[in-house]
Amino acid sequence: MPEAGGIMAQQARIGIYGLGTMGSALALNMAELGIPVAVANREADWLPAFMNEAGDLAAQLQPHETLEAFVGGLALPRVILFMIPSDAPMDAMIEAVLPLLAPGDTIIDGGNADFHATRRRSADLAARDIHFVGMGISGGEAGARHGPSMMVGGSAHSWIQLEPILTAIAARHEGDPCVAHLGPDGAGHFVKTVHNGIEYADMQVIAEIYGLMRYGLVRSPVEIGARFERWNEGPLRSYLVEITGKALGYVDPVTGHPAVDVIKDAAGQKGTGRWTVIEAVALGQSASMIDAAVAARSWSSEKSTRVAAEAVLGGDRSLLDLDDDALERAFLAARIICHAQGFRILKAASEEYDWALDLARIAEIWRAGCIIRSALLDDIGAALRDNLPGGQLILAPAMAAELGRCIPALRWVVAAAVAGGHAAPALGAAIAWFDTMRQGRGTTDIIQAQRDFFGHHGYARLGMAGVHHGPWWD
Ligand code: 6PG
């Protein structure tokens, strides 16, 4: 295959290495907008098929069989987007490409990376005057092809190179591109991790509401799908509700049964939900709904244990007396709470790592393109823009009013689920966190007493400064 990118060809503005699902969709997105893109792949024999599939867009794509030719085909300073696994392959790729780069060049990791690795790579490469950008990209294949939401970390220098390209390819919410430079080093990947944590919680809430309708109200998948589709026209409007509605309507072509009924109930997970929980805890935060969602996926994968336990412990679930309006409001309350938890983690990380994250902008770039896009994010963006004291979403007047309307339903739904033997871990976590946070005086006075009793840990006393002890000891 002829090499492109030589002196005759227009130098590519960006190179994409890694032509898997996301990498090839991003390359086609850029090509469609007239951006010359150099492309390469570890297995060079993928290139002809990719170029063929590109059709007319191939004119903007410059395939290279070797890393040297790929790097050589890029305009200076170079910008290279790696769409490869973000762990060991990313480190190996950095080692391989580094000798070919010049000071001022930018390497981007567009995968779901652990932000600690991104911070380490940024620092290592900064010492060689190479810029490293951790960029979260959300929206799956369709988003990458037609408009993703992108959460960009890294230096101001890299952002100057990237902004025109990313602004062109991003999803748009009422004309506003869903991309932003959020902060240095790991900021972009951290924000993407929390996005995924919220995604896990929202998906789990949907699964719980589906389960209550399926087993508590004894509705068919098609009926439940129709309900989700109706909800998608109201305050629950979101990509995840939309695809849930559609998925529930599908029939398995092999058996003729509803498609969901032939899917093993064991959820996969690649790690971003778990990372969100780990980082939340490390930051002294709670992400109890995300934790519940991660746990529910882990428990789900213990299929054989659950089957054995059903035989020993009984798997009965009662019929429920719940109406759709209560389920809708419970869902909305839980969705507000999982976003509130997610934004608290972002705020804590911003303070810890000195990122100065613009929380309102983050909500705004999640309004289109990404997996958690929803009508609620529009309201959250507005609430955060409104100079919210302490950045606590539950205190924003609009959110507090919506919670006031929806919490009684969440309480009722969780109570009914628990009484009827239906597992609802994320909904339960939501109401527990809400009830904890709305009480000015809680119950940890006794925990402080216990700690002091057995360990002389001391406690703060109301109305008196200093650390206090006793009176437990003789
Ligand atoms: C996105 C998705 C995407 C991917 C998740 C799935 O924003 O486009 O979050 O990044 O689908 O990584 O993660 P799990 O496999 O862990 O569910």
Side-chain angles (χ1 to χ4, degrees):
M1 183 174 37
E3 288 277 331
I7 47 167
M8 302 302 289
Q10 188 190 4
Q11 291 219 297
R13 281 173 68 191
I14 186 167
I16 298 184
Y17 188 100
L19 294 176
T21 309
M22 294 293 282
S24 36
L26 288 166
L28 295 174
N29 187 346
M30 290 177 192
E32 195 162 58
L33 293 162
I35 299 167
V37 187
V39 290
N41 194 60
R42 191 166 65 119
E43 297 85 5
D45 56 356
W46 288 23
L47 290 168
F50 171 68
M51 293 300 288
N52 198 31
E53 183 198 324
D56 292 347
L57 301 180
Q60 296 294 344
L61 298 166
Q62 303 173 9
H64 296 283
E65 292 184 2
T66 66
L67 189 60
E68 289 75 12
F70 169 71
V71 174
L74 296 170
L76 297 174
R78 300 180 183 91
V79 176
I80 305 177
L81 171 57
F82 285 105
M83 296 302 298
I84 61 175
S86 289
D87 38 21
M90 193 65 217
D91 285 321
M93 184 49 78
I94 290 172
E95 282 310 305
V97 79
L98 208 46
L100 306 172
L101 300 181
D105 289 351
T106 291
I107 300 176
I108 310 157
D109 175 359
N112 280 331
D114 182 339
F115 87 108
H116 293 295
T118 306
R119 281 166 66 79
R120 168 179 58 77
R121 289 167 181 152
S122 297
D124 290 351
L125 288 167
R128 325 252 314 234
D129 207 8
I130 301 294
H131 298 256
F132 187 75
V133 170
M135 177 164 84
I137 306 175
S138 182
E141 182 182 5
R145 179 66 184 83
H146 301 291
S149 167
M150 289 165 287
M151 294 140 255
V152 185
S155 67
H157 164 87
S158 298
W159 179 240
I160 288 168
Q161 322 296 316
L162 279 169
E163 186 179 8
I165 299 173
L166 300 183
T167 302
I169 66 163
R172 288 187 141 61
H173 175 82
E174 295 173 2
D176 182 18
C178 292
V179 59
H181 180 225
L182 298 172
D185 54 72
H189 274 152
F190 189 90
V191 172
K192 176 59 167 57
T193 298
V194 174
H195 164 284
N196 282 25
I198 296 171
E199 175 185 302
Y200 271 54
D202 207 42
M203 291 169 77
Q204 176 61 25
V205 167
I206 289 174
E208 291 173 18
I209 300 271
Y210 155 76
L212 295 174
M213 287 195 274
R214 186 81 200 265
Y215 304 106
L217 303 179
V218 202
R219 291 196 190 153
S220 70
V222 168
E223 289 169 320
I224 300 169
R227 171 50 56 194
F228 275 103
E229 286 188 341
R230 272 200 292 284
W231 281 341
N232 198 40
E233 287 157 18
L236 288 173
R237 184 167 52 78
S238 57
Y239 173 69
L240 285 170
V241 166
E242 178 192 334
I243 62 167
T244 303
K246 286 185 177 151
L248 287 165
Y250 278 89
V251 169
D252 171 46
V254 177
T255 59
H257 294 144
V260 279
D261 285 359
V262 301
I263 298 176
K264 184 174 173 183
D265 54 330
Q269 49 183 324
K270 297 199 197 80
T272 45
R274 192 182 316 130
W275 292 344
T276 311
V277 175
I278 291 169
E279 295 311 327
V281 172
L283 290 162
Q285 284 294 319
S286 154
S288 58
M289 285 191 68
I290 302 170
D291 183 33
V294 172
R297 289 199 193 187
S298 303
W299 299 332
S300 81
S301 67
E302 291 186 56
K303 177 80 176 167
S304 56
T305 306
R306 289 188 289 112
V307 170
E310 181 170 335
V312 175
L313 304 171
D316 299 345
R317 287 176 277 214
S318 322
L319 297 183
L320 299 174
D321 178 22
L322 289 172
D323 59 53
D324 289 340
D325 177 60
L327 288 167
E328 182 183 30
R329 284 184 293 136
F331 184 171
L332 187 54
R335 180 173 272 179
I336 293 170
I337 290 169
C338 80
H339 284 75
Q341 291 190 344
F343 276 93
R344 282 158 54 88
I345 303 169
L346 291 174
K347 183 170 178 292
S350 182
E351 284 160 12
E352 176 71 20
Y353 299 105
D354 221 3
W355 284 335
L357 292 178
D358 180 343
L359 300 183
R361 190 65 196 138
I362 293 170
E364 286 162 4
I365 65 167
W366 287 349
R367 291 177 300 181
C370 71
I371 301 297
I372 62 169
R373 60 186 185 260
S374 69
L376 177 64
L377 274 163
D378 213 2
D379 300 338
I380 290 177
L384 290 167
R385 265 283 158 249
D386 208 14
N387 209 10
L388 184 60
Q392 300 292 342
L393 262 184
I394 52 172
L395 299 183
M399 295 297 135
E402 200 63 331
L403 285 169
R405 187 177 76 81
C406 296
I407 284 290
L410 177 61
R411 207 177 286 296
W412 178 30
V413 168
V414 170
V418 171
H422 299 260
L427 293 169
I431 193 67
W433 184 74
F434 176 85
D435 280 338
T436 301
M437 295 308 287
R438 76 184 171 86
Q439 281 154 1
R441 181 158 178 87
T443 57
T444 53
D445 42 6
I446 190 64
I447 289 176
Q448 287 297 79
Q450 291 162 346
R451 291 176 68 243
D452 189 53
F453 202 118
F454 63 64
H456 287 250
H457 292 291
Y459 55 83
R461 193 184 158 107
L462 294 171
M464 231 185 260
V467 177
H468 297 264
H469 295 278
W472 342 107
W473 311 290
D474 297 326

